[in-house]
Coordinates of all heavy atoms in Angstrom, one line a residue:
M1 N 0.8 -1.2 0.0 CA 0.0 0.0 0.0 C 0.9 1.2 0.0 O 1.9 1.3 0.7 CB -0.9 0.0 1.2 CG -1.7 1.2 1.4 SD -2.7 1.3 2.9 CE -4.3 1.1 2.1
V2 N 0.5 2.2 -0.8 CA 1.3 3.4 -0.9 C 0.4 4.6 -0.3 O -0.8 4.6 -0.7 CB 1.7 3.8 -2.4 CG1 2.3 5.1 -2.5 CG2 2.6 2.7 -2.9
C3 N 1.0 5.4 0.4 CA 0.2 6.6 1.0 C 0.5 7.8 0.1 O 1.5 7.9 -0.5 CB 0.5 6.9 2.4 SG 1.7 5.9 3.3
H4 N -0.4 8.7 0.2 CA -0.3 10.0 -0.5 C -0.1 11.2 0.3 O -0.1 12.3 -0.3 CB -1.4 10.1 -1.5 CG -1.4 8.9 -2.5 ND1 -0.5 8.8 -3.5 CD2 -2.2 7.8 -2.5 CE1 -0.7 7.6 -4.1 NE2 -1.7 7.0 -3.6
C5 N -0.1 11.1 1.6 CA 0.2 12.2 2.5 C 1.0 11.7 3.7 O 0.9 10.6 4.1 CB -1.1 13.0 2.9 SG -2.0 12.1 4.1
A6 N 1.8 12.6 4.3 CA 2.7 12.2 5.4 C 1.9 11.7 6.6 O 2.3 10.7 7.2 CB 3.6 13.4 5.8
K7 N 0.8 12.3 6.9 CA 0.0 12.0 8.0 C -0.5 10.5 7.9 O -0.4 9.7 8.8 CB -1.2 12.9 8.2 CG -1.9 12.7 9.5 CD -3.0 13.8 9.7 CE -3.8 13.5 11.0 NZ -4.7 14.5 11.2
S8 N -1.1 10.2 6.8 CA -1.6 8.8 6.6 C -0.5 7.8 6.6 O -0.6 6.7 7.1 CB -2.5 8.7 5.4 OG -1.7 8.9 4.2
C9 N 0.6 8.2 6.0 CA 1.8 7.3 6.0 C 2.3 7.0 7.4 O 2.6 5.9 7.7 CB 2.9 8.0 5.2 SG 3.5 6.9 3.9
L10 N 2.4 8.0 8.2 CA 2.9 7.9 9.5 C 2.0 6.9 10.3 O 2.4 6.0 11.0 CB 2.9 9.2 10.3 CG 3.4 9.2 11.7 CD1 4.8 8.6 11.8 CD2 3.4 10.6 12.2
S11 N 0.7 7.1 10.1 CA -0.3 6.2 10.8 C -0.1 4.8 10.3 O -0.2 3.8 11.1 CB -1.7 6.7 10.5 OG -2.7 5.9 11.1
L12 N 0.0 4.6 9.1 CA 0.2 3.3 8.5 C 1.5 2.6 9.0 O 1.5 1.4 9.4 CB 0.2 3.3 7.0 CG 0.2 2.0 6.2 CD1 -1.1 1.3 6.5 CD2 0.2 2.3 4.7
I13 N 2.6 3.3 9.1 CA 3.9 2.8 9.6 C 3.7 2.4 11.0 O 4.2 1.4 11.5 CB 5.0 3.9 9.4 CG1 5.3 4.0 7.9 CG2 6.2 3.5 10.2 CD1 6.3 5.1 7.5
Q14 N 3.1 3.3 11.8 CA 2.9 3.0 13.3 C 2.1 1.7 13.4 O 2.4 0.8 14.2 CB 2.2 4.1 14.0 CG 3.1 5.3 14.2 CD 2.4 6.5 14.7 OE1 1.2 6.8 14.5 NE2 3.1 7.4 15.4
S15 N 1.0 1.6 12.6 CA 0.2 0.3 12.7 C 1.0 -0.9 12.3 O 0.8 -1.9 13.0 CB -1.0 0.5 11.8 OG -1.9 1.5 12.2
K16 N 1.8 -0.8 11.3 CA 2.6 -1.9 10.8 C 3.6 -2.3 11.9 O 3.7 -3.5 12.2 CB 3.3 -1.5 9.6 CG 4.1 -2.6 8.9 CD 4.7 -2.1 7.6 CE 5.5 -3.2 6.9 NZ 6.1 -2.7 5.6
I17 N 4.2 -1.4 12.6 CA 5.2 -1.7 13.6 C 4.4 -2.4 14.8 O 4.9 -3.4 15.3 CB 5.9 -0.4 14.1 CG1 6.9 0.0 13.0 CG2 6.7 -0.7 15.4 CD1 7.4 1.4 13.2
H18 N 3.3 -1.8 15.2 CA 2.6 -2.4 16.3 C 2.0 -3.7 16.0 O 1.8 -4.5 17.0 CB 1.5 -1.4 16.8 CG 2.1 -0.3 17.6 ND1 2.5 -0.4 18.9 CD2 2.4 1.0 17.3 CE1 3.0 0.7 19.4 NE2 3.0 1.6 18.4
W19 N 1.8 -4.1 14.8 CA 1.4 -5.4 14.4 C 2.5 -6.4 14.7 O 2.2 -7.6 15.2 CB 1.0 -5.5 12.9 CG 0.4 -6.7 12.5 CD1 -0.9 -7.0 12.6 CD2 1.0 -7.9 12.0 NE1 -1.2 -8.3 12.2 CE2 0.0 -8.9 11.8 CE3 2.3 -8.2 11.6 CZ2 0.3 -10.1 11.2 CZ3 2.6 -9.4 11.1 CH2 1.6 -10.4 10.9
Y20 N 3.7 -6.0 14.6 CA 4.8 -6.9 14.9 C 5.2 -6.9 16.4 O 6.1 -7.7 16.9 CB 6.1 -6.5 14.1 CG 6.0 -6.9 12.7 CD1 5.6 -6.1 11.7 CD2 6.4 -8.2 12.3 CE1 5.5 -6.5 10.4 CE2 6.3 -8.6 11.0 CZ 5.9 -7.7 10.0 OH 5.8 -8.1 8.7
W21 N 4.7 -6.0 17.2 CA 5.0 -5.8 18.6 C 4.4 -7.0 19.5 O 3.2 -7.2 19.5 CB 4.5 -4.5 19.0 CG 4.5 -4.2 20.5 CD1 3.4 -3.8 21.2 CD2 5.6 -4.1 21.4 NE1 3.8 -3.6 22.5 CE2 5.1 -3.8 22.6 CE3 6.9 -4.4 21.2 CZ2 6.0 -3.6 23.8 CZ3 7.8 -4.3 22.4 CH2 7.3 -3.9 23.6
N22 N 5.3 -7.7 20.1 CA 4.9 -8.7 21.1 C 5.6 -8.4 22.4 O 6.7 -8.7 22.6 CB 5.4 -10.1 20.6 CG 4.7 -10.5 19.4 OD1 3.4 -10.5 19.3 ND2 5.4 -10.9 18.4
K23 N 4.8 -7.7 23.2 CA 5.4 -7.3 24.5 C 5.6 -8.5 25.4 O 4.7 -9.3 25.6 CB 4.4 -6.4 25.3 CG 4.9 -5.9 26.6 CD 3.9 -5.0 27.2 CE 4.3 -4.6 28.6 NZ 3.3 -3.8 29.3
P24 N 6.9 -8.6 25.9 CA 7.1 -9.8 26.8 C 6.5 -9.6 28.2 O 6.1 -8.5 28.5 CB 8.6 -9.8 26.9 CG 9.1 -8.4 26.6 CD 8.0 -7.8 25.7
E25 N 6.2 -10.7 28.8 CA 5.7 -10.6 30.2 C 6.7 -9.9 31.0 O 7.9 -10.0 31.0 CB 5.5 -12.1 30.7 CG 4.5 -12.9 30.0 CD 3.1 -12.4 30.3 OE1 2.8 -11.9 31.4 OE2 2.3 -12.5 29.4
T26 N 6.2 -9.0 31.9 CA 7.0 -8.2 32.7 C 6.8 -8.6 34.2 O 5.8 -9.1 34.5 CB 6.7 -6.7 32.6 OG1 5.4 -6.4 33.0 CG2 7.0 -6.2 31.2
T27 N 7.8 -8.4 35.0 CA 7.8 -8.8 36.4 C 7.1 -7.6 37.2 O 6.6 -7.8 38.3 CB 9.1 -9.1 37.0 OG1 10.0 -8.0 36.8 CG2 9.7 -10.3 36.3
S28 N 7.0 -6.5 36.6 CA 6.5 -5.3 37.2 C 5.0 -5.2 37.0 O 4.5 -5.6 36.0 CB 7.2 -4.1 36.7 OG 6.5 -2.9 37.0
Q29 N 4.3 -4.8 38.0 CA 2.9 -4.5 37.9 C 2.6 -3.2 37.2 O 1.5 -2.9 36.7 CB 2.2 -4.5 39.3 CG 2.3 -5.8 40.1 CD 1.5 -6.9 39.4 OE1 0.6 -6.6 38.5 NE2 1.7 -8.1 39.7
N30 N 3.6 -2.3 37.1 CA 3.5 -1.0 36.5 C 3.5 -1.2 35.0 O 4.1 -2.0 34.4 CB 4.6 -0.1 36.9 CG 4.6 0.2 38.4 OD1 3.6 0.1 39.0 ND2 5.8 0.4 39.0
R31 N 2.8 -0.3 34.4 CA 2.8 -0.2 32.9 C 4.1 0.4 32.5 O 4.5 1.4 32.9 CB 1.6 0.7 32.5 CG 1.4 0.7 31.0 CD 0.1 1.5 30.8 NE 0.1 1.9 29.4 CZ -0.6 1.2 28.5 NH1 -1.3 0.1 28.9 NH2 -0.7 1.6 27.3
V32 N 4.8 -0.3 31.6 CA 6.1 0.1 31.1 C 6.0 0.8 29.7 O 5.0 0.5 29.0 CB 7.1 -1.0 31.0 CG1 7.4 -1.6 32.4 CG2 6.7 -2.1 30.1
K33 N 6.9 1.7 29.4 CA 6.8 2.4 28.2 C 8.2 2.6 27.6 O 9.1 3.0 28.3 CB 6.2 3.8 28.4 CG 6.0 4.6 27.2 CD 5.2 5.9 27.5 CE 5.0 6.7 26.2 NZ 4.3 7.9 26.5
T34 N 8.3 2.3 26.3 CA 9.6 2.4 25.6 C 9.3 3.4 24.5 O 8.3 3.3 23.8 CB 10.1 1.1 25.0 OG1 10.3 0.2 26.1 CG2 11.4 1.3 24.3
I35 N 10.2 4.3 24.2 CA 10.1 5.2 23.1 C 11.3 5.1 22.2 O 12.4 5.1 22.8 CB 9.9 6.7 23.5 CG1 8.6 6.9 24.3 CG2 9.9 7.6 22.3 CD1 8.4 8.2 24.9
V36 N 11.1 4.9 20.9 CA 12.2 4.6 20.0 C 12.1 5.7 18.9 O 11.0 5.9 18.3 CB 12.1 3.2 19.4 CG1 13.3 3.0 18.4 CG2 12.1 2.1 20.5
M37 N 13.2 6.3 18.6 CA 13.3 7.2 17.4 C 13.9 6.5 16.2 O 14.9 5.8 16.3 CB 14.3 8.4 17.8 CG 14.4 9.5 16.7 SD 12.8 10.4 16.5 CE 12.8 11.3 18.0
I38 N 13.2 6.5 15.1 CA 13.6 5.8 13.9 C 14.0 6.9 12.8 O 13.3 7.8 12.6 CB 12.4 5.0 13.3 CG1 11.8 4.1 14.4 CG2 12.9 4.2 12.1 CD1 10.5 3.5 14.0
D39 N 15.1 6.6 12.2 CA 15.6 7.5 11.1 C 15.5 6.6 9.8 O 16.0 5.5 9.8 CB 17.0 7.9 11.3 CG 17.2 8.8 12.5 OD1 16.4 9.8 12.6 OD2 18.1 8.6 13.3
L40 N 14.8 7.1 8.9 CA 14.6 6.5 7.6 C 15.3 7.1 6.5 O 15.5 8.4 6.5 CB 13.1 6.5 7.2 CG 12.1 5.8 8.1 CD1 10.7 6.0 7.6 CD2 12.4 4.4 8.3
N41 N 15.8 6.3 5.5 CA 16.5 6.9 4.4 C 15.5 7.1 3.2 O 14.3 6.7 3.4 CB 17.7 6.1 3.9 CG 17.3 4.7 3.5 OD1 16.2 4.4 3.1 ND2 18.3 3.8 3.6
K42 N 15.9 7.6 2.1 CA 15.0 7.8 1.0 C 14.3 6.6 0.4 O 13.3 6.6 -0.2 CB 15.7 8.6 -0.1 CG 16.0 10.0 0.3 CD 16.8 10.8 -0.8 CE 17.2 12.1 -0.3 NZ 18.1 12.8 -1.2
E43 N 15.0 5.4 0.6 CA 14.5 4.2 0.1 C 13.5 3.5 1.1 O 13.1 2.4 0.9 CB 15.6 3.2 -0.2 CG 16.4 3.6 -1.4 CD 17.4 4.8 -1.2 OE1 18.0 4.8 -0.1 OE2 17.4 5.7 -2.1
A44 N 13.2 4.2 2.2 CA 12.3 3.7 3.2 C 12.9 2.6 4.1 O 12.2 1.9 4.8 CB 11.0 3.2 2.6
D45 N 14.2 2.5 4.1 CA 14.9 1.6 5.0 C 15.3 2.3 6.3 O 15.5 3.5 6.3 CB 16.1 1.0 4.3 CG 15.8 0.1 3.2 OD1 14.9 -0.7 3.3 OD2 16.4 0.3 2.1
I46 N 15.5 1.6 7.4 CA 15.9 2.1 8.6 C 17.4 2.4 8.6 O 18.2 1.5 8.3 CB 15.6 1.1 9.8 CG1 14.1 1.0 9.9 CG2 16.1 1.7 11.1 CD1 13.7 -0.2 10.8
E47 N 17.8 3.6 8.9 CA 19.2 4.0 9.0 C 19.6 3.8 10.5 O 20.7 3.4 10.8 CB 19.4 5.4 8.7 CG 19.4 5.6 7.2 CD 19.8 7.0 6.8 OE1 20.1 7.9 7.7 OE2 19.9 7.3 5.6
N48 N 18.6 4.0 11.4 CA 19.0 3.9 12.8 C 17.7 3.8 13.6 O 16.6 4.5 13.3 CB 19.7 5.2 13.3 CG 20.4 5.0 14.6 OD1 20.7 3.9 15.0 ND2 20.6 6.1 15.3
A49 N 17.7 3.1 14.7 CA 16.6 3.0 15.6 C 17.2 3.1 17.0 O 17.9 2.2 17.4 CB 15.8 1.7 15.5
T50 N 16.9 4.2 17.7 CA 17.5 4.5 19.0 C 16.4 4.6 20.1 O 15.5 5.3 19.9 CB 18.2 5.9 18.9 OG1 19.2 5.8 17.8 CG2 19.0 6.2 20.2
I51 N 16.7 3.9 21.2 CA 15.8 4.0 22.3 C 16.0 5.4 23.0 O 17.1 5.7 23.4 CB 16.0 2.9 23.3 CG1 15.6 1.6 22.7 CG2 15.2 3.1 24.6 CD1 16.0 0.3 23.5
T52 N 15.0 6.2 23.0 CA 15.1 7.5 23.6 C 14.5 7.6 25.0 O 14.8 8.5 25.8 CB 14.4 8.7 22.7 OG1 13.1 8.3 22.6 CG2 15.1 8.8 21.4
Q53 N 13.7 6.6 25.3 CA 13.2 6.4 26.7 C 13.1 4.9 26.9 O 12.2 4.3 26.3 CB 11.8 7.1 26.9 CG 11.3 6.9 28.3 CD 9.9 7.6 28.4 OE1 9.7 8.7 27.9 NE2 9.0 6.9 29.1
S54 N 13.8 4.4 27.9 CA 13.8 3.0 28.2 C 12.6 2.8 29.1 O 12.3 3.6 30.0 CB 15.1 2.6 28.9 OG 15.0 1.3 29.4
S55 N 12.1 1.6 29.0 CA 11.1 1.1 29.9 C 11.6 0.7 31.3 O 10.9 0.6 32.3 CB 10.3 -0.1 29.3 OG 11.2 -1.2 29.3
G56 N 12.9 0.5 31.3 CA 13.6 0.0 32.5 C 13.7 -1.5 32.5 O 14.3 -2.2 33.3
D57 N 13.0 -2.1 31.5 CA 13.1 -3.6 31.3 C 13.7 -3.8 29.9 O 13.1 -3.6 28.9 CB 11.7 -4.2 31.3 CG 11.6 -5.7 31.3 OD1 12.5 -6.3 30.6 OD2 10.7 -6.3 31.8
K58 N 14.9 -4.3 29.9 CA 15.7 -4.5 28.7 C 15.0 -5.5 27.7 O 15.1 -5.2 26.5 CB 17.1 -5.2 29.0 CG 18.1 -4.9 28.0 CD 19.4 -4.6 28.6 CE 20.5 -4.2 27.7 NZ 20.4 -2.9 27.2
R59 N 14.2 -6.4 28.2 CA 13.5 -7.3 27.3 C 12.4 -6.5 26.5 O 12.2 -6.7 25.3 CB 12.8 -8.5 28.1 CG 13.8 -9.4 28.7 CD 13.1 -10.4 29.6 NE 12.3 -9.6 30.6 CZ 11.3 -10.1 31.3 NH1 10.8 -11.3 31.0 NH2 10.7 -9.3 32.2
V60 N 11.7 -5.6 27.2 CA 10.7 -4.8 26.5 C 11.4 -3.9 25.5 O 10.8 -3.8 24.4 CB 9.9 -4.0 27.6 CG1 8.9 -3.0 26.9 CG2 9.1 -4.9 28.5
D61 N 12.4 -3.2 25.9 CA 13.1 -2.3 25.0 C 13.6 -3.1 23.7 O 13.4 -2.6 22.6 CB 14.3 -1.7 25.7 CG 13.9 -0.8 26.8 OD1 12.7 -0.4 26.9 OD2 14.8 -0.4 27.6
N62 N 14.2 -4.3 23.9 CA 14.7 -5.0 22.8 C 13.6 -5.5 21.9 O 13.7 -5.5 20.7 CB 15.5 -6.2 23.3 CG 16.8 -5.8 23.9 OD1 17.4 -4.8 23.7 ND2 17.4 -6.7 24.7
K63 N 12.5 -5.9 22.5 CA 11.3 -6.3 21.6 C 10.8 -5.2 20.8 O 10.3 -5.4 19.7 CB 10.2 -6.9 22.5 CG 10.5 -8.3 23.0 CD 10.4 -9.3 21.8 CE 10.5 -10.7 22.3 NZ 10.3 -11.6 21.2
A64 N 10.8 -3.9 21.4 CA 10.3 -2.8 20.7 C 11.2 -2.5 19.4 O 10.7 -2.3 18.3 CB 10.3 -1.5 21.6
V65 N 12.5 -2.5 19.6 CA 13.4 -2.3 18.5 C 13.3 -3.5 17.5 O 13.3 -3.3 16.2 CB 14.9 -2.2 19.0 CG1 15.8 -2.1 17.8 CG2 15.0 -1.0 19.8
E66 N 13.1 -4.7 17.9 CA 12.9 -5.8 17.1 C 11.7 -5.7 16.2 O 11.7 -6.0 15.0 CB 12.8 -7.1 18.0 CG 12.8 -8.4 17.2 CD 12.7 -9.6 18.2 OE1 13.6 -9.7 19.0 OE2 11.7 -10.3 18.1
A67 N 10.6 -5.2 16.8 CA 9.4 -5.0 16.0 C 9.5 -4.0 14.9 O 9.0 -4.2 13.8 CB 8.2 -4.5 17.0
I68 N 10.3 -3.0 15.2 CA 10.6 -1.9 14.1 C 11.3 -2.6 13.0 O 11.0 -2.4 11.8 CB 11.4 -0.8 14.8 CG1 10.5 0.0 15.7 CG2 11.9 0.2 13.7 CD1 11.2 1.0 16.6
Y69 N 12.4 -3.3 13.2 CA 13.2 -3.9 12.2 C 12.4 -5.0 11.4 O 12.5 -5.2 10.2 CB 14.5 -4.5 12.7 CG 15.5 -3.4 12.9 CD1 15.8 -2.8 14.1 CD2 16.2 -2.9 11.8 CE1 16.7 -1.8 14.2 CE2 17.2 -1.9 11.9 CZ 17.4 -1.3 13.1 OH 18.3 -0.3 13.2
E70 N 11.5 -5.7 12.1 CA 10.7 -6.7 11.4 C 9.6 -6.0 10.5 O 9.3 -6.6 9.5 CB 9.9 -7.6 12.5 CG 10.8 -8.6 13.2 CD 10.2 -9.4 14.2 OE1 8.9 -9.3 14.3 OE2 10.9 -10.2 14.9
A71 N 9.1 -4.9 10.9 CA 8.1 -4.2 10.1 C 8.8 -3.5 8.8 O 8.1 -3.3 7.9 CB 7.4 -3.2 10.9
A72 N 10.0 -3.2 8.9 CA 10.7 -2.5 7.8 C 10.9 -3.5 6.6 O 10.9 -4.7 6.8 CB 12.1 -2.0 8.3
P73 N 11.1 -3.0 5.4 CA 11.1 -1.6 5.1 C 9.7 -1.0 4.9 O 8.8 -1.7 4.9 CB 11.8 -1.6 3.7 CG 11.4 -2.9 3.1 CD 11.3 -3.8 4.2
F74 N 9.7 0.3 5.0 CA 8.4 1.0 4.9 C 8.2 1.6 3.5 O 8.2 2.8 3.3 CB 8.4 2.1 6.0 CG 8.7 1.5 7.4 CD1 9.9 1.7 8.0 CD2 7.7 0.8 8.0 CE1 10.1 1.2 9.3 CE2 7.9 0.2 9.3 CZ 9.2 0.4 9.9
R75 N 7.9 0.7 2.6 CA 7.7 1.1 1.2 C 6.5 2.0 1.0 O 6.4 2.6 0.0 CB 7.6 -0.1 0.3 CG 8.8 -1.0 0.4 CD 10.0 -0.5 -0.3 NE 11.1 -1.4 -0.3 CZ 12.3 -1.1 0.1 NH1 12.6 0.1 0.6 NH2 13.3 -2.0 0.1
E76 N 5.7 2.1 2.0 CA 4.5 2.9 1.9 C 4.8 4.4 1.5 O 4.0 5.1 0.9 CB 3.7 2.9 3.2 CG 3.2 1.5 3.6 CD 4.2 0.6 4.3 OE1 5.3 1.0 4.5 OE2 3.8 -0.5 4.7
I77 N 6.0 4.8 1.9 CA 6.3 6.3 1.7 C 6.7 6.6 0.3 O 6.8 7.7 -0.1 CB 7.4 6.7 2.6 CG1 8.8 6.1 2.2 CG2 7.1 6.4 4.1 CD1 10.0 6.8 3.0
H78 N 6.8 5.6 -0.6 CA 7.2 5.8 -2.0 C 6.3 6.8 -2.7 O 6.7 7.4 -3.7 CB 7.5 4.5 -2.8 CG 8.7 3.9 -2.3 ND1 10.0 4.2 -2.8 CD2 9.0 2.9 -1.4 CE1 10.9 3.5 -2.3 NE2 10.3 2.6 -1.4
G79 N 5.0 6.8 -2.4 CA 4.1 7.7 -3.0 C 4.1 9.1 -2.6 O 3.4 10.0 -3.1
L80 N 5.0 9.4 -1.6 CA 5.0 10.8 -1.1 C 6.0 11.7 -1.9 O 6.9 11.2 -2.5 CB 5.6 10.8 0.4 CG 4.7 10.0 1.4 CD1 5.4 10.1 2.8 CD2 3.3 10.6 1.5
S81 N 5.7 13.0 -1.8 CA 6.6 13.9 -2.4 C 7.9 14.0 -1.6 O 7.9 13.5 -0.5 CB 5.9 15.3 -2.5 OG 5.8 15.8 -1.2
L82 N 8.9 14.6 -2.2 CA 10.2 14.7 -1.4 C 10.0 15.5 -0.2 O 10.6 15.2 0.9 CB 11.3 15.4 -2.3 CG 11.8 14.5 -3.4 CD1 12.8 15.3 -4.3 CD2 12.4 13.2 -2.9
K83 N 9.1 16.6 -0.2 CA 8.9 17.4 0.9 C 8.2 16.6 2.0 O 8.6 16.7 3.2 CB 8.0 18.6 0.5 CG 7.7 19.5 1.7 CD 6.8 20.7 1.2 CE 6.5 21.6 2.4 NZ 5.7 22.7 1.9
E84 N 7.2 15.7 1.7 CA 6.5 14.9 2.7 C 7.5 13.8 3.2 O 7.4 13.5 4.4 CB 5.3 14.3 2.1 CG 4.2 15.4 1.9 CD 3.0 14.8 1.3 OE1 3.1 14.1 0.3 OE2 1.9 15.1 1.8
K85 N 8.3 13.3 2.4 CA 9.3 12.2 2.9 C 10.2 12.9 3.9 O 10.5 12.2 4.9 CB 10.1 11.7 1.7 CG 9.4 10.7 0.8 CD 10.2 10.2 -0.3 CE 9.5 9.3 -1.2 NZ 10.3 8.8 -2.3
E86 N 10.6 14.1 3.6 CA 11.4 14.8 4.6 C 10.7 15.0 5.9 O 11.4 14.9 7.0 CB 11.8 16.2 4.0 CG 12.9 16.9 4.7 CD 14.3 16.2 4.6 OE1 14.5 15.5 3.6 OE2 15.1 16.4 5.5
M87 N 9.4 15.2 5.9 CA 8.7 15.4 7.1 C 8.6 14.1 8.0 O 8.5 14.2 9.2 CB 7.2 15.8 6.8 CG 7.1 17.2 6.2 SD 5.4 17.5 5.6 CE 4.4 17.3 7.0
I88 N 8.7 13.0 7.4 CA 8.7 11.7 8.2 C 9.9 10.9 8.2 O 10.0 9.7 8.4 CB 7.4 10.8 7.8 CG1 7.6 10.4 6.4 CG2 6.2 11.5 8.1 CD1 6.6 9.3 6.0
K89 N 11.1 11.5 7.8 CA 12.3 10.8 7.8 C 12.8 10.4 9.3 O 13.6 9.5 9.5 CB 13.4 11.5 7.1 CG 14.0 12.7 7.8 CD 15.1 13.3 6.9 CE 15.8 14.4 7.7 NZ 16.9 15.0 7.0
R90 N 12.2 11.1 10.3 CA 12.5 10.8 11.6 C 11.1 10.6 12.3 O 10.3 11.5 12.4 CB 13.3 11.9 12.3 CG 13.5 11.7 13.8 CD 14.6 12.6 14.3 NE 15.8 11.9 14.1 CZ 16.9 12.2 14.8 NH1 17.0 13.3 15.5 NH2 18.0 11.5 14.6
I91 N 10.9 9.4 12.9 CA 9.7 9.0 13.5 C 9.9 8.6 14.9 O 10.8 7.8 15.2 CB 9.0 7.9 12.7 CG1 8.8 8.3 11.3 CG2 7.7 7.5 13.3 CD1 8.4 7.1 10.4
E92 N 9.1 9.0 15.8 CA 9.1 8.6 17.2 C 7.9 7.6 17.4 O 6.8 8.0 17.2 CB 9.0 9.8 18.2 CG 9.2 9.4 19.6 CD 9.3 10.6 20.5 OE1 8.2 11.1 20.8 OE2 10.4 11.0 20.9
I93 N 8.2 6.4 17.9 CA 7.2 5.4 18.2 C 7.2 5.1 19.7 O 8.3 4.8 20.3 CB 7.5 4.1 17.4 CG1 7.6 4.4 15.9 CG2 6.4 3.1 17.7 CD1 6.3 4.8 15.2
A94 N 6.0 5.1 20.3 CA 5.9 4.7 21.7 C 5.3 3.3 21.8 O 4.4 2.9 21.1 CB 5.0 5.7 22.4
F95 N 5.9 2.5 22.7 CA 5.4 1.1 22.9 C 4.9 1.0 24.4 O 5.4 1.6 25.3 CB 6.5 0.1 22.7 CG 7.0 0.0 21.3 CD1 8.0 0.9 20.8 CD2 6.4 -0.9 20.5 CE1 8.4 0.8 19.5 CE2 6.9 -1.0 19.1 CZ 7.8 -0.2 18.7

């Protein structure tokens, strides 16, 4: 599927990543949250995925990054203009 605007593309990419997301069982009763910053190149491949906020549980953090790489590449962006691609070359995803 190809998107034709940055907003719909971002939503599609987030959905695709969360489809691959399998949160491991945690020992904590608290809700954990991991935030990952993704840098995409012009071909829609991941250049870098960096944890910007750790959940405090390495297994959860690793599974978040793993889901991003499993969901890639994000060919959906090929229908975007260069200006719109520039708008979503860096994406923050919360798990």
Side-chain angles (χ1 to χ4, degrees):
M1 176 183 246
V2 175
C3 356
H4 299 287
C5 76
K7 186 176 179 179
S8 67
C9 233
L10 181 57
S11 179
L12 190 59
I13 289 169
Q14 289 173 331
S15 294
K16 187 175 178 183
I17 290 169
H18 283 283
W19 189 84
Y20 284 94
W21 170 236
N22 291 309
K23 181 180 175 183
E25 294 290 326
T26 61
T27 56
S28 166
Q29 295 294 343
N30 298 333
R31 187 174 164 95
V32 294
K33 183 176 183 179
T34 302
I35 299 177
V36 182
M37 184 67 69
I38 307 166
D39 295 313
L40 300 177
N41 62 25
K42 292 177 185 174
E43 288 75 41
D45 294 314
I46 296 171
E47 286 188 354
N48 194 27
T50 306
I51 296 170
T52 57
Q53 179 181 320
S54 173
S55 66
D57 185 328
K58 201 137 185 82
R59 294 173 302 155
V60 173
D61 295 346
N62 289 341
K63 283 289 191 179
V65 173
E66 186 178 299
I68 291 166
Y69 280 99
E70 286 179 6
F74 303 106
R75 301 286 184 235
E76 297 83 359
I77 73 169
H78 286 278
L80 298 179
S81 68
L82 290 176
K83 182 179 178 181
E84 288 178 314
K85 283 180 184 178
E86 193 66 27
M87 292 169 58
I88 64 167
K89 73 177 185 177
R90 175 166 269 196
I91 303 169
E92 186 174 79
I93 304 288
F95 293 87

